[in-house]
Amino acid sequence: MKPSQHDAPIETAQAQPGGSQSSQFQPLGQSQLEPVELAEECALAIAYNGLNQAVMMVSPIDLEDFVVGFSLGSGIVESAQDIYDIRIGGTGSGRHAEVEIANRAFWKLKQQRRQLPGNASCGLCGVEALEQALPQLPVMPVAALPPAHWLQDLRQRIDGFQPLGQSCGAVHAALFIDARGELLLSREDIGRHNALDKLIGALKRNGHEVAGGVAVVTSRCSLELIHKVQRAGIPTLVSLSAPTSLAASWARQHNLNLIHLPRNGPPRVYSPANAAAERAD
């Protein structure tokens, strides 16, 4: 796998080519056209060892990071070392990723596909699909909550880590604060799950240590994001939007620190449930 493009500090990064496209709009009631940058979107078909697995709508940037994070976050592989090669192809609105994975991971993937009963209008149905939506994941080791000053003015500080969002909007961001409290890197995408997958993929591909770190998502926090952070081994998740009740309950049951950072007011610690009084300054 090739190294990520974001080894340099994100503060100096510019929106990558392919992240947006020039367009025009007409103000209501006026005749002139105004230029505007719009977030780009494409379909990415992912195949593992030649077996088609998924088609995802993504921002066509940091696609190798996305493939690694998607593979880990979906439980297709247990480790980034199980991914031997990634080949990205295609242009425009249609892209494809050919992924070579370890035989043991591919065998497990094929077994899961055989057990899956299929799709229905209401989504996946059946016991196996329910087990995939609510997987049996190990309880995480108890980790200290981040110091309160790490989160001070965080909403303002992350603006510089969102070049695509600043230039055209319509994208989510996922960011990582390392064990020293420094904003290390960020990934952006039209999809909130995709942004987090890209972040996790970038962390794994670059060998960054996640112990003691914090994942930050600018989107709402549902159960799937909890699963991804848990599988990545990141002990704390901070969300700029409130979590669902199921996400908060799952985090408490699995020792994942879950914090909501409201626009107005102090951070709200949802998990561990009794940790609000233990926050350090």
Side-chain angles (χ1 to χ4, degrees):
M1 292 181 290
K2 298 178 182 178
S4 174
Q5 301 174 7
H6 284 326
D7 293 331
I10 297 297
E11 290 90 341
T12 62
Q14 301 294 321
Q16 295 184 52
S20 65
Q21 286 188 337
S22 297
S23 186
Q24 294 179 318
F25 71 94
Q26 180 178 341
L28 184 63
Q30 301 181 29
S31 59
Q32 78 276 12
L33 293 176
E34 300 285 348
V36 66
E37 288 291 314
L38 297 179
E40 191 176 356
E41 180 178 20
C42 77
L44 177 68
I46 306 175
Y48 293 93
N49 294 7
L51 182 66
N52 293 328
Q53 174 66 17
V55 178
M56 306 293 292
M57 300 306 298
V58 301
S59 299
I61 52 175
D62 298 312
L63 291 181
E64 289 191 353
D65 288 342
F66 170 71
V67 170
V68 173
F70 174 82
S71 303
L72 289 166
S74 302
I76 294 172
V77 298
E78 295 182 0
S79 167
Q81 282 65 48
D82 289 334
I83 302 175
Y84 295 156
D85 190 31
I86 300 173
R87 297 182 299 278
I88 305 292
T91 58
S93 60
R95 314 289 178 97
H96 55 84
E98 301 291 335
V99 190
E100 182 183 351
I101 59 176
N103 287 335
R104 63 180 179 274
F106 186 53
W107 181 87
K108 179 182 176 182
L109 176 62
K110 290 193 293 185
Q111 290 298 110
Q112 291 175 345
R113 287 170 62 95
R114 289 193 188 102
Q115 296 170 357
L116 199 62
N119 292 327
S121 59
C122 59
L124 294 174
C125 58
V127 174
E128 293 84 0
L130 185 61
E131 291 174 349
Q132 288 185 349
L134 301 171
Q136 297 294 319
L137 297 179
V139 174
M140 302 179 71
V142 175
L145 287 166
H149 70 266
W150 285 15
L151 307 183
Q152 188 174 0
D153 300 322
L154 183 60
R155 283 180 175 269
Q156 292 72 33
R157 288 188 285 124
I158 64 177
D159 283 347
F161 287 71
Q162 302 178 72
L164 187 58
Q166 293 295 315
S167 66
C168 63
V171 294
H172 300 285
L175 309 96
F176 183 72
I177 301 174
D178 67 16
R180 298 171 299 177
E182 297 181 6
L183 278 165
L184 184 64
L185 54 82
S186 171
R187 291 295 183 269
E188 296 176 278
D189 198 274
I190 57 169
R192 59 195 180 92
H193 301 86
N194 301 345
L196 184 55
D197 282 335
K198 287 180 178 180
L199 176 72
I200 292 170
L203 291 169
K204 298 300 182 180
R205 292 180 65 216
N206 288 305
H208 291 303
E209 178 59 60
V210 299
V214 177
V216 181
V217 293
T218 60
S219 63
R220 66 182 177 88
C221 180
S222 57
L223 183 61
E224 307 98 305
L225 301 189
I226 298 288
H227 290 166
K228 291 178 184 295
V229 171
Q230 186 178 356
R231 281 180 166 131
I234 302 173
T236 300
L237 175 61
V238 173
S239 173
L240 301 195
S241 184
T244 66
S245 60
L246 183 57
S249 175
W250 184 283
R252 284 193 293 269
Q253 293 171 14
H254 292 83
N255 289 341
L256 174 69
N257 296 331
L258 178 59
I259 303 173
H260 169 214
L261 191 62
R263 186 170 298 277
N264 298 303
R268 300 176 179 179
V269 179
Y270 284 91
S271 172
N274 62 345
E278 301 175 7
R279 282 178 291 169
D281 291 329

